[in-house]
Amino acid sequence: MSYQIGEKIRVTIFGQSHSEAIGAVIDGIPAGIRLDTDKIRAHMQRRAPGRDRFSTPRRETDEPEIISGLSDGITCGAPICAVIKNTNTKSSDYESLKYLPRPGHSDFAAFMKYGGANDIRGGGQFSGRMTAPLCFAGAVCMQLLEEDGIFVGAHIAKIHGVSDEAFDAANVEKNLLDGLKNKPFAVISDAQGEKMKAEIAKAKENLDSVGGVIECAVLGMPPGIGGALFDGLEGCISKAVFGIPAVKGIEFGAGFAAADMYGSENNDSFYFAENGKVKTRTNNHGGILGGISSGMPLIFRTAVKPTPSIACTQKTVNLKTGTEEKLKITGRHDPCIVHRAVPAVESAAAIAILDKMRG
Amino acid sequence: MSYQIGEKIRVTIFGQSHSEAIGAVIDGIPAGIRLDTDKIRAHMQRRAPGRDRFSTPRRETDEPEIISGLSDGITCGAPICAVIKNTNTKSSDYESLKYLPRPGHSDFAAFMKYGGANDIRGGGQFSGRMTAPLCFAGAVCMQLLEEDGIFVGAHIAKIHGVSDEAFDAANVEKNLLDGLKNKPFAVISDAQGEKMKAEIAKAKENLDSVGGVIECAVLGMPPGIGGALFDGLEGCISKAVFGIPAVKGIEFGAGFAAADMYGSENNDSFYFAENGKVKTRTNNHGGILGGISSGMPLIFRTAVKPTPSIACTQKTVNLKTGTEEKLKITGRHDPCIVHRAVPAVESAAAIAILDKMRG
Amino acid sequence: MSYQIGEKIRVTIFGQSHSEAIGAVIDGIPAGIRLDTDKIRAHMQRRAPGRDRFSTPRRETDEPEIISGLSDGITCGAPICAVIKNTNTKSSDYESLKYLPRPGHSDFAAFMKYGGANDIRGGGQFSGRMTAPLCFAGAVCMQLLEEDGIFVGAHIAKIHGVSDEAFDAANVEKNLLDGLKNKPFAVISDAQGEKMKAEIAKAKENLDSVGGVIECAVLGMPPGIGGALFDGLEGCISKAVFGIPAVKGIEFGAGFAAADMYGSENNDSFYFAENGKVKTRTNNHGGILGGISSGMPLIFRTAVKPTPSIACTQKTVNLKTGTEEKLKITGRHDPCIVHRAVPAVESAAAIAILDKMRG
Amino acid sequence: MSYQIGEKIRVTIFGQSHSEAIGAVIDGIPAGIRLDTDKIRAHMQRRAPGRDRFSTPRRETDEPEIISGLSDGITCGAPICAVIKNTNTKSSDYESLKYLPRPGHSDFAAFMKYGGANDIRGGGQFSGRMTAPLCFAGAVCMQLLEEDGIFVGAHIAKIHGVSDEAFDAANVEKNLLDGLKNKPFAVISDAQGEKMKAEIAKAKENLDSVGGVIECAVLGMPPGIGGALFDGLEGCISKAVFGIPAVKGIEFGAGFAAADMYGSENNDSFYFAENGKVKTRTNNHGGILGGISSGMPLIFRTAVKPTPSIACTQKTVNLKTGTEEKLKITGRHDPCIVHRAVPAVESAAAIAILDKMRG
């Protein structure tokens, strides 16, 4: 469904990096809910550009204007449409790129898909900027989830080989997630965070970039959400998370590590917790069994590739002249987008999960 | 859409492990195509049970009966429905399990979702047996893809820590894929394959099980297939692949390894091949840029957890009595399903890609 | 979605008139419900062929075999698949028709769509026989609706100009609907029914056919089901009802007659009924306001064209030779299908409404 | 899919009568097309309010602002979002209506659906104003259809019992449709048009309203578009047309009149036209056979009920106090919306047909 995801909660994202505006339409939000616009704004600010020395100097207020779906600030059952203006665009930077696809970017593939009619300015609809409306939609969904006692939070698990402490998968606490949201650089171990920043600084100095891994937890999921086969939580969350540009992998629970384990190690034994709830002592299943939530924390990790826009000279082809050329990308780019992608990953997860909750 | 996937090619899977039959309905296949039932059967036999010493002793002929969609063996535009009888069921094995959820299985989560009304026999709709109709649908889709010069093939990349040679991502050849399909144990290096089998044998002896990784390649994809955001190939393929029970992770191209790379390493430079086609020298992008095919081999790896059904004693809870119990699973189970999952992974990829090709 | 309808309750229909079988997959039925197969069978028998002197002599038992979705006769959450064998097929009747499209039939349009690869035998997937699986699905949905106190029933409102009494739109009673289901010829006024039968007999004698109108009522709908714009009940019911071959029109409440009325006549005043419920004194809105149920009886009428298969000589073209030809259709056909379409209309309505109820 | 329609061309409509803006997102329009904004504007002006003495005095410029999907005025493959500001809103008119549902309006049904949280101002998302974004989307789709030689046009077939000449179903010409689009009151017979206007004027004088019928033709459809069962053109067009508020019926070709005909009258004989094309002499099938286009003009009629907002005193209930009350609606309303609905019907048809063309 291309620019749309979800069945009960349907999020449609529109816009390009340099179109007049970008935005999202959210259909399926029940009537009668007061949207907490401060919370929405706070969530969106976590991914907004131009806030630290590692981010693109492009500054956008990223202020969502809600133009439909509310009556006196309360949802009325009509789709919620939010529009975010693109104000600080420098389209001239991109003209020369039309026939010179940037390595690691969508340029060449989009050229082939659209016969050259794609919007090259700022990466068009392939831009990381499209995660701004995703974060708007995610913030709305997170508010509804929180009213059901479900909390989504993530941290930077790794940047260029430097790892943060991992979540304690069977025992993640809401406090930890809350704390991470208030940090400008979302790591559990600030010491490791400093090492990560050093990696980013070094890459920036070398006109290069770095990637990383984001680990996300969803707490408070009741057991019984999701389903067999294509209704499984893993597939639905993946579909949403891969909607974030630069994501190249996802794993749930033990994930790829399970390939090295015995069944007797990987299986999580059940027990009754003090409140009578069924829990597992370990959480290799990442809160999902048979595609359905088990009630344990839902845990996944997602791989983010290094920003493809790097300032050092690269080899590419000229699609017009048919010759090979050297390319030096100018413009404003991030040496690392992992930290800015943290709220985007949370948003994708929230959208997918709320959809399944209402399914 | 729960038991269905796809927009233009819609595959609906039905049945439970011990229902009268399982099957698939494929809607969207063009009229006028003669289905090669020998090829379909051959593909399905690669995952059929009871063929080697590592597989469940449950023997099923897994013969698909095509009951609609053909006229004189040629597609007529109506949906293709194939039914596979469940003949060799032993439902009495499962009665005692209803309130004793097996660790690592869907049992507990399904119990909570369905209020105990789920079909516990053989794992119901959560059974690995559901990959039989998936393979039927995959075989049909692969035939159509092959007519467009697109080939899907996979190998066992790892079992319990023992790795096969990896695909040479920028240069996978059709010959290699063809060869893998003819091997009863789909590895590139037979020597490594023997070591894997030794791991499986050891696990079986210990009443235990092992997992692994499957690497899949899709050759011949024209550039320009897929799209931005939720239309991306990664998300669509993931949705299909996570439909296979026991899959817990997926990565495209360099995947999680990209988290340790510089942009200058991870970016794949473009060049003109001898035939004038645009190619990349390396293939860290796994044939997908901006969610769209680049024309390079599409490469992904998927993690398969160890079979949760193990014969050694495990701890669980009794959902009826509220007490903790020890559980010893009897019945017929595989100590490893990775090798049988190879055609299922190919099938999921073929279904997702054909859908996008027609999108 | 071609052979599928619904979002929460998804019904996929497969098969052709002369394929090995026809059937339906119903996805979304909750677990834990015992299906009343006697009721299903009774509903299906109302449309089964070969039961009266006006129906095609093709005799089919139309016995649905439920091959998935049940565990001990109780729904388990997996899709319900029912298969109905095609036993009494006479395919040789149709060979000569491939290039001679029958006037009023799908033949020519299907030939153009499928490039001649469509299944011409018995009309293929365009056959009225496809309403057998529709009735199966409808019977399942009606059972669920009835558990919520919602009843669907229809009568033959008109055949070839002869009208039955109309429903008293604001006061239809369940007794009346129950009575109609037990009549072999579903009319309110048996006297008018006899006149209708005379019309059918006369048409048959003249090797001709007649059409009619079916009026359907849905009782017990709670107010608040449906929605604005494309979520409206009228559109959703229409989509399902036009899935029945030969349907060419539909109107809700006063329908086309509203074009001749003043707003002051057409508007239905609200009042409080004795039980405190809000009702309207008249029911020109047919139980739907703004696309949403009002709680009043939902009333619609649907036009069924005369059976296009008539035995008298007709003019057509030969698509192979490019000449005009005369055509005399042999085979087994109904001079009127209106009475057999009554349960099909009820079924389409039930499927659409249950989907909206779960929406 | 509630506020969305279509599979390949997906139109999502958002907004309420008095929200900050209304608009549409169109996903699936190919890249590389220059949108003719003059034509879009001209089409939208045909339904814009405040242009004649019969329309609501609410004046809106109805100027669509295209905020995404274009690059230099040319489609780039990203969704097209158009926003139409709501400037001339008088919300105070509606406050008193919250608990006093207007007869014939969505008010009561929406109150029950949304628990009173629906946006009562101007009818919220149930307002006829929502046809403005529908007309935007329709204009875009009509431009694409016209590039394929397909033309959609409609006329007022009836207002309060006064009928226009009908289309000559087998021989509608493009000239006629073009002429109708240039008329402020779209009738074939201007004399009948004057009588219709007299009916509207009389209703207005009596603080009453009138309804009517719109007849729509689609010329140039190639044969072979649409499909069996739920893929049929009738169902898909109906779903879109019933998205227009106040539509209560639809019929294709002979429609309800077929109920009074013999098969031998209703069947349309095939012949070869001079250009070798297969045509039918009559067009009772309305250009659709078996749900698929035959290549003949596609003809349908749709019933529009009298505007429910009438200024004379009506009876209703007070949902707060539980008493019956008299209601006198103030505010700005149309005594007839049939003429303004003409471009909305064309738009709905264009959206549905383009979607099927790309299916």
Side-chain angles (χ1 to χ4, degrees):
Chain A
M1 277 195 285
S2 54
Y3 295 84
Q4 186 179 65
I5 198 158
E7 291 183 34
K8 290 289 296 175
I9 304 291
R10 284 166 298 272
V11 174
T12 304
I13 288 178
F14 58 82
Q16 307 108 257
S17 183
H18 290 207
S19 62
E20 186 169 333
I22 54 178
V25 180
I26 317 175
D27 192 0
I29 299 294
I33 292 170
R34 179 170 295 281
L35 286 193
D36 185 333
T37 49
D38 288 343
K39 261 189 154 169
I40 292 173
R41 204 172 287 120
H43 182 67
M44 292 182 71
Q45 284 310 312
R46 291 170 63 209
R47 65 121 264 142
R51 339 223 107 243
D52 62 55
R53 61 188 167 116
F54 302 130
S55 299
T56 166
R58 174 175 176 182
R59 287 190 176 276
E60 292 282 1
T61 56
D62 271 7
E63 186 68 25
E65 191 190 359
I66 301 177
I67 61 175
S68 77
L70 300 183
S71 180
D72 281 331
I74 293 173
T75 59
C76 68
I80 297 166
C81 180
V83 167
I84 302 162
K85 291 255 161 57
N86 284 326
T87 54
N88 193 350
T89 55
K90 281 192 168 183
S91 298
S92 58
D93 289 354
Y94 295 90
E95 271 313 296
S96 58
L97 291 177
K98 177 145 191 182
Y99 298 99
L100 289 177
R102 293 167 294 173
H105 259 283
S106 62
D107 301 350
F108 171 69
F111 186 95
M112 296 305 285
K113 178 178 175 73
Y114 294 119
N118 54 306
D119 186 352
I120 192 74
R121 301 168 300 160
Q125 64 263 47
F126 300 91
S127 167
R129 180 146 178 74
M130 302 310 290
T131 54
L134 183 79
C135 282
F136 173 82
V140 171
C141 292
M142 285 167 86
Q143 181 181 336
L144 271 81
L145 288 174
E146 290 184 12
E147 288 175 12
D148 284 343
I150 299 172
F151 300 91
V152 183
H155 71 116
I156 308 163
K158 198 201 250 186
I159 284 182
H160 199 245
V162 179
S163 293
D164 190 18
E165 289 175 27
F167 281 141
D168 177 4
N171 303 291
V172 188
E173 297 202 344
K174 179 172 175 298
N175 279 350
L176 180 65
L177 302 191
D178 288 345
L180 286 165
K181 286 188 189 180
N182 290 324
K183 288 189 178 183
F185 198 83
V187 284
I188 300 175
S189 158
D190 292 330
Q192 290 304 94
E194 290 307 313
K195 289 184 200 161
M196 292 178 188
K197 287 181 193 169
E199 288 294 323
I200 302 174
K202 190 172 136 199
K204 189 182 180 184
E205 204 177 336
N206 295 337
L207 310 181
D208 213 329
S209 66
V210 287
V213 172
I214 292 167
E215 185 178 43
C216 185
V218 186
L219 310 183
M221 286 282 286
I225 305 299
L229 295 168
F230 311 117
D231 209 22
L233 285 175
E234 292 103 335
C236 297
I237 293 172
S238 295
K239 186 86 159 59
V241 170
F242 278 114
I244 303 170
V247 167
K248 294 298 277 189
I250 192 165
E251 59 177 1
F252 294 82
F256 279 90
D260 299 342
M261 293 160 79
Y262 283 113
S264 56
E265 293 170 277
N266 185 59
N267 281 354
D268 301 303
S269 301
F270 292 107
Y271 74 100
F272 284 108
E274 287 179 20
N275 57 8
K277 274 196 184 165
V278 174
K279 288 195 169 180
T280 60
R281 303 238 173 242
T282 49
N283 188 8
N284 291 314
H285 70 288
I288 309 175
L289 288 168
I292 302 173
S293 62
S294 69
M296 290 297 290
L298 193 160
I299 307 278
F300 69 90
R301 277 169 304 282
T302 190
V304 180
K305 73 178 183 183
T307 326
S309 291
I310 51 178
C312 54
T313 304
Q314 297 181 87
K315 290 182 190 165
T316 188
V317 291
N318 187 318
L319 296 171
K320 205 172 191 175
T321 62
T323 54
E324 298 182 11
E325 292 200 14
K326 289 199 172 154
L327 174 72
K328 207 164 152 51
I329 302 175
T330 56
R332 302 164 298 185
H333 302 289
D334 293 4
C336 181
I337 52 135
V338 180
H339 51 301
R340 286 182 59 203
V342 168
V345 168
E346 293 169 357
S347 295
I351 292 166
I353 287 168
L354 185 66
D355 185 48
K356 281 292 155 200
M357 298 285 295
R358 303 294 156 114
Chain B
M1 277 197 285
S2 54
Y3 295 84
Q4 185 179 65
I5 197 157
E7 291 183 33
K8 290 291 295 174
I9 305 291
R10 284 166 298 271
V11 174
T12 305
I13 289 179
F14 58 82
Q16 306 109 256
S17 183
H18 290 208
S19 61
E20 187 170 332
I22 54 179
V25 180
I26 317 175
D27 191 0
I29 299 294
I33 293 169
R34 179 170 295 280
L35 286 192
D36 185 334
T37 49
D38 288 343
K39 260 189 154 169
I40 293 172
R41 206 173 286 119
H43 181 68
M44 291 181 71
Q45 284 310 312
R46 292 170 62 210
R47 64 121 265 141
R51 337 225 112 243
D52 61 56
R53 62 189 167 115
F54 302 130
S55 299
T56 165
R58 174 176 175 181
R59 288 193 175 274
E60 292 283 1
T61 57
D62 271 7
E63 186 68 26
E65 189 190 0
I66 301 177
I67 62 174
S68 77
L70 301 182
S71 180
D72 281 331
I74 292 173
T75 59
C76 68
I80 297 166
C81 180
V83 167
I84 302 161
K85 292 256 163 52
N86 284 326
T87 53
N88 194 351
T89 54
K90 281 192 168 184
S91 298
S92 58
D93 289 355
Y94 294 90
E95 270 315 295
S96 59
L97 291 177
K98 177 144 191 182
Y99 298 99
L100 288 177
R102 293 167 294 173
H105 259 283
S106 63
D107 302 349
F108 171 68
F111 185 96
M112 295 306 284
K113 178 178 174 72
Y114 294 118
N118 54 304
D119 186 351
I120 191 74
R121 302 168 301 161
Q125 64 262 47
F126 299 91
S127 166
R129 181 147 177 73
M130 301 311 290
T131 56
L134 183 78
C135 282
F136 173 81
V140 171
C141 292
M142 285 167 86
Q143 181 181 335
L144 271 81
L145 288 174
E146 290 184 13
E147 288 174 13
D148 284 343
I150 299 171
F151 300 91
V152 183
H155 71 116
I156 307 164
K158 198 201 249 187
I159 283 182
H160 199 246
V162 179
S163 294
D164 190 18
E165 286 174 29
F167 280 142
D168 177 4
N171 303 291
V172 188
E173 297 202 345
K174 179 173 175 296
N175 279 351
L176 180 64
L177 302 190
D178 287 345
L180 287 165
K181 286 188 189 179
N182 291 323
K183 289 188 177 183
F185 198 82
V187 283
I188 300 175
S189 160
D190 291 332
Q192 291 303 96
E194 290 308 313
K195 289 184 200 161
M196 292 176 188
K197 287 181 195 169
E199 289 294 324
I200 302 174
K202 189 172 136 201
K204 189 181 181 186
E205 203 177 338
N206 297 335
L207 310 180
D208 213 330
S209 66
V210 287
V213 173
I214 292 168
E215 186 178 42
C216 184
V218 186
L219 309 183
M221 286 282 287
I225 305 299
L229 296 168
F230 312 116
D231 209 22
L233 285 175
E234 292 102 335
C236 297
I237 293 171
S238 295
K239 187 85 157 60
V241 170
F242 277 114
I244 303 169
V247 167
K248 295 298 277 188
I250 193 165
E251 59 178 359
F252 294 82
F256 279 90
D260 298 343
M261 293 160 79
Y262 282 113
S264 57
E265 294 170 276
N266 185 60
N267 281 355
D268 302 303
S269 300
F270 292 107
Y271 74 100
F272 283 109
E274 287 179 19
N275 57 7
K277 273 195 185 166
V278 174
K279 288 194 169 180
T280 59
R281 303 238 173 242
T282 48
N283 189 8
N284 291 315
H285 69 290
I288 309 175
L289 288 168
I292 302 173
S293 62
S294 69
M296 291 297 291
L298 193 160
I299 308 279
F300 70 90
R301 277 170 303 284
T302 190
V304 179
K305 72 178 185 184
T307 327
S309 290
I310 50 177
C312 55
T313 303
Q314 297 181 88
K315 290 181 191 167
T316 189
V317 291
N318 187 318
L319 296 171
K320 205 172 192 175
T321 61
T323 54
E324 299 182 9
E325 291 199 14
K326 289 201 172 152
L327 173 72
K328 209 164 151 48
I329 303 175
T330 56
R332 304 164 297 185
H333 303 289
D334 293 3
C336 180
I337 52 135
V338 180
H339 51 302
R340 286 181 59 203
V342 168
V345 168
E346 293 169 358
S347 296
I351 291 166
I353 287 168
L354 185 66
D355 185 49
K356 282 291 156 201
M357 298 285 296
R358 302 295 156 115
Chain C
M1 274 196 288
S2 53
Y3 295 84
Q4 186 179 65
I5 198 157
E7 292 183 33
K8 289 289 294 175
I9 304 291
R10 283 167 299 271
V11 173
T12 305
I13 289 179
F14 58 83
Q16 304 110 257
S17 183
H18 290 206
S19 61
E20 187 168 334
I22 54 178
V25 180
I26 317 175
D27 191 1
I29 299 294
I33 293 169
R34 179 170 295 280
L35 286 192
D36 184 334
T37 49
D38 288 343
K39 260 190 155 168
I40 293 172
R41 205 173 285 122
H43 182 68
M44 293 181 71
Q45 284 311 310
R46 291 170 63 211
R47 64 122 264 142
R51 337 224 108 241
D52 61 56
R53 60 188 168 117
F54 302 130
S55 300
T56 165
R58 173 175 175 180
R59 288 190 176 278
E60 293 281 2
T61 57
D62 271 7
E63 186 69 25
E65 189 191 359
I66 301 177
I67 62 175
S68 76
L70 300 183
S71 180
D72 280 332
I74 292 173
T75 58
C76 68
I80 297 165
C81 180
V83 167
I84 302 160
K85 291 257 162 55
N86 285 327
T87 54
N88 194 351
T89 55
K90 281 192 169 185
S91 298
S92 58
D93 289 354
Y94 294 90
E95 269 315 295
S96 59
L97 290 177
K98 177 144 191 185
Y99 298 99
L100 288 177
R102 293 167 294 174
H105 259 284
S106 62
D107 301 351
F108 171 68
F111 186 95
M112 296 305 286
K113 179 179 174 74
Y114 294 119
N118 54 305
D119 186 351
I120 192 73
R121 302 168 299 162
Q125 64 262 44
F126 300 90
S127 167
R129 182 149 176 73
M130 301 311 290
T131 56
L134 183 78
C135 282
F136 172 81
V140 171
C141 292
M142 284 167 85
Q143 181 181 335
L144 271 81
L145 288 174
E146 290 183 12
E147 289 174 11
D148 284 344
I150 299 171
F151 300 91
V152 183
H155 71 117
I156 307 163
K158 198 201 251 187
I159 283 182
H160 200 247
V162 179
S163 294
D164 190 18
E165 288 175 27
F167 281 141
D168 177 4
N171 304 291
V172 188
E173 297 202 344
K174 179 172 175 294
N175 279 350
L176 180 64
L177 304 190
D178 288 344
L180 286 165
K181 286 187 191 180
N182 290 323
K183 289 187 177 183
F185 198 82
V187 284
I188 300 175
S189 158
D190 292 331
Q192 291 301 95
E194 289 309 313
K195 290 185 197 161
M196 293 177 187
K197 287 181 194 169
E199 288 294 323
I200 301 174
K202 189 173 137 199
K204 189 181 180 185
E205 204 176 335
N206 297 335
L207 310 181
D208 214 329
S209 65
V210 288
V213 172
I214 292 167
E215 186 177 44
C216 185
V218 186
L219 309 183
M221 286 282 287
I225 306 299
L229 296 167
F230 312 117
D231 209 22
L233 285 176
E234 291 103 336
C236 297
I237 293 172
S238 295
K239 186 86 157 60
V241 170
F242 279 113
I244 303 169
V247 167
K248 295 298 277 188
I250 191 165
E251 59 178 0
F252 294 83
F256 280 90
D260 299 342
M261 293 160 80
Y262 284 114
S264 56
E265 294 170 277
N266 186 59
N267 281 353
D268 302 303
S269 301
F270 292 107
Y271 73 101
F272 284 108
E274 287 179 18
N275 57 8
K277 274 195 184 166
V278 173
K279 289 194 169 180
T280 60
R281 302 237 173 243
T282 49
N283 188 9
N284 291 314
H285 70 288
I288 309 176
L289 288 168
I292 302 174
S293 63
S294 69
M296 289 297 290
L298 193 159
I299 307 279
F300 70 90
R301 276 169 304 283
T302 190
V304 179
K305 72 177 185 186
T307 327
S309 292
I310 51 178
C312 54
T313 303
Q314 298 180 88
K315 290 182 191 166
T316 189
V317 291
N318 186 319
L319 296 171
K320 206 173 191 174
T321 62
T323 54
E324 298 182 11
E325 293 199 12
K326 290 203 172 150
L327 174 72
K328 209 166 149 49
I329 303 175
T330 57
R332 305 164 295 186
H333 303 288
D334 293 5
C336 180
I337 52 136
V338 179
H339 51 301
R340 287 182 58 204
V342 168
V345 168
E346 292 170 358
S347 296
I351 292 167
I353 287 168
L354 185 66
D355 186 48
K356 282 291 155 199
M357 298 285 296
R358 303 294 155 115
Chain D
M1 273 195 287
S2 53
Y3 294 84
Q4 185 179 66
I5 197 157
E7 290 183 33
K8 291 288 296 173
I9 304 290
R10 282 167 299 272
V11 174
T12 306
I13 289 179
F14 58 83
Q16 305 108 258
S17 183
H18 289 207
S19 61
E20 187 169 335
I22 55 179
V25 180
I26 317 174
D27 192 0
I29 300 295
I33 292 170
R34 178 170 296 281
L35 286 192
D36 185 333
T37 49
D38 288 344
K39 261 188 155 170
I40 293 172
R41 205 172 286 121
H43 182 67
M44 293 182 71
Q45 284 311 310
R46 292 170 62 211
R47 64 122 265 140
R51 337 225 110 242
D52 62 56
R53 61 188 166 115
F54 302 129
S55 299
T56 165
R58 174 174 174 181
R59 289 194 174 276
E60 292 281 2
T61 56
D62 271 8
E63 185 68 27
E65 190 190 0
I66 301 177
I67 62 175
S68 76
L70 300 182
S71 180
D72 281 330
I74 292 173
T75 59
C76 68
I80 297 166
C81 180
V83 167
I84 302 161
K85 291 257 162 54
N86 284 327
T87 53
N88 194 350
T89 54
K90 281 192 168 183
S91 298
S92 58
D93 289 353
Y94 295 90
E95 270 314 295
S96 58
L97 291 177
K98 177 145 192 183
Y99 298 99
L100 289 177
R102 293 168 294 175
H105 259 284
S106 62
D107 302 350
F108 171 68
F111 186 96
M112 296 305 286
K113 178 179 175 71
Y114 295 119
N118 54 305
D119 186 351
I120 191 73
R121 301 169 299 161
Q125 63 263 47
F126 300 91
S127 167
R129 182 149 175 74
M130 301 310 291
T131 56
L134 184 79
C135 282
F136 172 82
V140 171
C141 292
M142 285 167 85
Q143 181 180 334
L144 271 82
L145 288 174
E146 289 184 12
E147 288 175 11
D148 285 343
I150 299 170
F151 300 91
V152 183
H155 71 117
I156 307 163
K158 198 201 250 184
I159 283 182
H160 199 245
V162 179
S163 294
D164 190 18
E165 288 174 28
F167 281 142
D168 177 5
N171 303 291
V172 188
E173 296 203 345
K174 179 172 175 296
N175 279 351
L176 180 65
L177 302 191
D178 288 345
L180 286 164
K181 287 189 189 178
N182 291 323
K183 289 188 177 183
F185 199 82
V187 283
I188 300 175
S189 159
D190 292 331
Q192 290 302 95
E194 291 308 312
K195 289 184 199 160
M196 292 177 188
K197 287 181 193 168
E199 289 294 324
I200 302 175
K202 188 172 136 200
K204 189 180 180 186
E205 203 176 337
N206 295 336
L207 309 181
D208 214 329
S209 66
V210 287
V213 172
I214 292 167
E215 186 178 42
C216 184
V218 186
L219 309 183
M221 285 283 287
I225 306 299
L229 296 168
F230 312 117
D231 209 22
L233 285 175
E234 292 103 337
C236 297
I237 293 171
S238 295
K239 187 85 156 61
V241 170
F242 278 114
I244 303 170
V247 167
K248 294 299 276 187
I250 192 165
E251 58 177 0
F252 295 82
F256 279 90
D260 298 343
M261 294 161 80
Y262 283 114
S264 56
E265 294 170 276
N266 185 59
N267 281 354
D268 303 301
S269 300
F270 292 107
Y271 73 100
F272 284 108
E274 288 179 19
N275 58 8
K277 273 194 185 167
V278 174
K279 288 194 170 181
T280 60
R281 303 239 173 240
T282 48
N283 188 8
N284 290 314
H285 70 289
I288 310 175
L289 288 168
I292 302 174
S293 63
S294 69
M296 290 298 289
L298 193 159
I299 308 279
F300 69 91
R301 277 169 304 283
T302 189
V304 180
K305 73 178 184 184
T307 326
S309 291
I310 50 178
C312 54
T313 304
Q314 297 180 89
K315 289 181 191 166
T316 188
V317 291
N318 186 318
L319 296 171
K320 205 172 192 174
T321 62
T323 55
E324 299 182 11
E325 292 200 12
K326 290 202 172 151
L327 173 72
K328 209 168 149 47
I329 303 176
T330 56
R332 304 165 297 186
H333 303 289
D334 293 4
C336 180
I337 52 137
V338 180
H339 50 301
R340 287 182 57 204
V342 168
V345 168
E346 293 170 357
S347 296
I351 291 167
I353 287 169
L354 185 66
D355 185 48
K356 282 291 155 201
M357 298 285 296
R358 304 293 156 115

